[in-house]
Amino acid sequence: MKIAVDVMGGDFAPKAVLEGILLALPSLSNNEIILAVGPRDIIQSFLDEHQYVGTQIQIIHADQVIEMGEHPTRALSQKPNSSIGIGFGLLKEGKADVFASAGNTGAMMVGSLFSVKTIEGIQRPAIAGYVPQTNGQYAVMLDIGANADCKPEMLEQFALLGSVYFEATTGIKSPRVGLINIGEEEQKGSILAQATHALLKANNSINFIGNIEGKDFFKGKADVIVTDGFTGNIMLKMGESIYNIMKDQGMTNEFVENTNYEKYGGSPIIGINGNVIIAHGASSPVAIKNMIGLCKSVVESKVCEKIKGIIENK
């Protein structure tokens, strides 16, 4: 397995990313390689400083960087030798099994669409986020920001994508799918929510349990939570705020610890012809370590191939 990591991605790159890579090494087997994508001299200097002499980290030189505030499409076209651009090249050419970055989210999304491209039959890929549950498990929510405006048919596909992903990565069959709404009754909500409810109810390929409200978000009611990217992004970031609020007040327990974004490492883009992970921009070394763990899980689950198989058989 070859895991390509953007060394220059994130608010604390390259130091935090490189430290995270070193933290992840003990959890990797000998045939699992990190492709560290970034300026060779910076990466080599760090490895020398930490007296690393192994073979599991291979440096892939990239002498340009796409900054957080840059326009995604323009930056990718103007900086072909950026760490993100080179990373997607590795993925497209089959030289990497997965590509991960804590850098510019827009560039990661655009890069996915224009390099490995969307799986045929998928209207729009989605970014999936992890939502901790009070029963100690987690749910997968999509979309969490890739698609602010959605059609009912897109949300129906998100439900299918989320179901395949959850089953492939957890082994739990027929995961429960809930639609975020302002009430449990099927006639409640916006035009989008009502139309989506009708599609999900009629879809025998998913285990649709109906609408779920904000009060159900953490309560273990659904395994896959479906919503548009605008709503999903707001809900996920509101959920993430719990950790810092409770920490500032000196309060913690298992659930609060599970709201810490560092634990999950990142979010996969689902519905593209490859494995791509987007990590939090403020990722610490621990978050990068867990991002690499998520990369392993996604590759091992073969979720991309499973989604292709299901879509092609429809």
Side-chain angles (χ1 to χ4, degrees), residues 1 97-98 275 294-303 305:
M1 185 188 300
D97 298 295
V98 57
N275 300 308
L294 177 60
C295 287
K296 276 188 61 174
S297 171
V298 169
V299 174
E300 290 169 348
S301 71
K302 301 186 184 302
V303 65
E305 291 87 343

Side-chain angles (χ1 to χ4, degrees), residues 6 30 56 93 111 144 148 153 164 168 180 187 194 196 213 220 228 243 252 256 284 303 306 310:
D6 172 15
N30 291 333
Q56 280 186 278
E93 293 166 13
I144 62 163
E153 293 79 13
V164 175
I180 286 290
Q187 70 272 17
Q194 292 179 41
T196 301
E213 300 179 69
D228 60 89
Y243 177 75
T252 188
V256 171
S284 66
V303 65
K306 290 173 181 177
I310 288 174

Side-chain angles (χ1 to χ4, degrees), residues 42-96:
I42 291 177
I43 299 172
Q44 190 61 60
S45 175
F46 177 90
L47 296 180
D48 292 343
E49 181 184 339
H50 288 76
Q51 300 180 330
Y52 176 79
V53 292
T55 58
Q56 280 186 278
I57 300 176
Q58 297 178 6
I59 301 174
I60 307 296
H61 181 63
D63 56 14
Q64 294 177 312
V65 178
I66 294 178
E67 304 293 345
M68 287 296 202
E70 289 192 72
H71 186 279
T73 306
R74 190 181 306 122
L76 280 169
S77 63
Q78 293 177 351
K79 295 182 175 181
N81 294 322
S82 65
S83 50
I84 289 180
I86 296 292
F88 274 114
L90 294 170
L91 191 64
K92 182 179 180 180
E93 293 166 13
K95 295 178 180 178

Side-chain angles (χ1 to χ4, degrees), residues 10-289:
D11 298 338
F12 308 112
K15 187 173 184 289
V17 180
L18 290 167
E19 288 178 353
I21 289 173
L22 291 182
L23 285 176
L25 286 184
S27 64
L28 301 180
S29 61
N30 291 333
N31 62 345
E32 291 168 339
I33 307 297
I34 300 291
L35 303 179
V37 187
R40 182 177 298 278
D41 55 344
I42 291 177
I43 299 172
Q44 190 61 60
S45 175
F46 177 90
L47 296 180
D48 292 343
E49 181 184 339
H50 288 76
Q51 300 180 330
Y52 176 79
V53 292
T55 58
Q56 280 186 278
I57 300 176
Q58 297 178 6
I59 301 174
I60 307 296
H61 181 63
D63 56 14
Q64 294 177 312
V65 178
I66 294 178
E67 304 293 345
M68 287 296 202
E70 289 192 72
H71 186 279
T73 306
R74 190 181 306 122
L76 280 169
S77 63
Q78 293 177 351
K79 295 182 175 181
N81 294 322
S82 65
S83 50
I84 289 180
I86 296 292
F88 274 114
L90 294 170
L91 191 64
K92 182 179 180 180
E93 293 166 13
K95 295 178 180 178
D97 298 295
V98 57
F99 175 49
S101 173
N104 188 307
T105 299
M108 289 295 288
M109 197 69 199
V110 171
S112 298
L113 295 173
F114 286 94
S115 61
V116 293
K117 303 186 185 309
T118 305
I119 292 172
E120 188 173 354
I122 299 293
Q123 293 188 36
R124 285 283 297 179
I127 303 175
Y130 298 93
V131 182
Q133 303 294 294
T134 51
N135 60 9
Q137 305 300 313
Y138 67 82
V140 172
M141 178 168 68
L142 62 173
D143 184 26
I144 62 163
N147 308 280
D149 297 300
C150 293
K151 298 178 181 178
E153 293 79 13
M154 291 168 62
L155 294 186
E156 182 185 20
Q157 279 199 338
F158 294 169
L160 180 61
L161 293 173
S163 296
V164 175
Y165 178 83
F166 190 87
E167 183 172 323
T169 54
T170 67
I172 297 174
K173 302 291 185 182
S174 192
R176 300 161 298 162
V177 176
L179 175 67
I180 286 290
N181 207 333
I182 59 172
E184 294 184 356
E185 301 85 357
E186 60 182 274
Q187 70 272 17
K188 282 287 186 73
S190 63
I191 294 173
L192 173 62
Q194 292 179 41
T196 301
H197 189 288
L199 291 176
L200 296 179
K201 185 177 180 181
N203 192 328
N204 295 324
S205 299
I206 59 173
N207 178 19
F208 181 51
I209 62 166
N211 293 327
I212 63 171
E213 300 179 69
K215 64 182 176 64
D216 304 313
F217 192 52
F218 300 113
K219 292 294 184 67
K221 192 169 182 178
D223 303 306
V224 178
I225 299 171
V226 176
T227 189
D228 60 89
F230 182 87
T231 305
N233 189 276
I234 291 172
M235 294 188 72
L236 190 76
K237 288 180 178 176
M238 181 182 68
E240 287 178 350
S241 72
I242 293 174
Y243 177 75
N244 287 327
I245 292 171
M246 294 295 100
K247 187 177 178 181
D248 289 344
Q249 297 184 6
M251 300 165 59
T252 188
N253 58 34
E254 184 181 1
F255 173 74
V256 171
E257 288 298 316
N258 286 341
T259 61
N260 183 359
Y261 74 87
E262 289 185 337
K263 179 173 181 176
Y264 304 98
S267 299
I269 302 179
I270 306 178
I272 58 174
N273 281 296
N275 300 308
V276 176
I277 304 295
I278 299 174
H280 204 292
S283 288
S284 66
V286 171
I288 296 297
K289 171 187 175 249

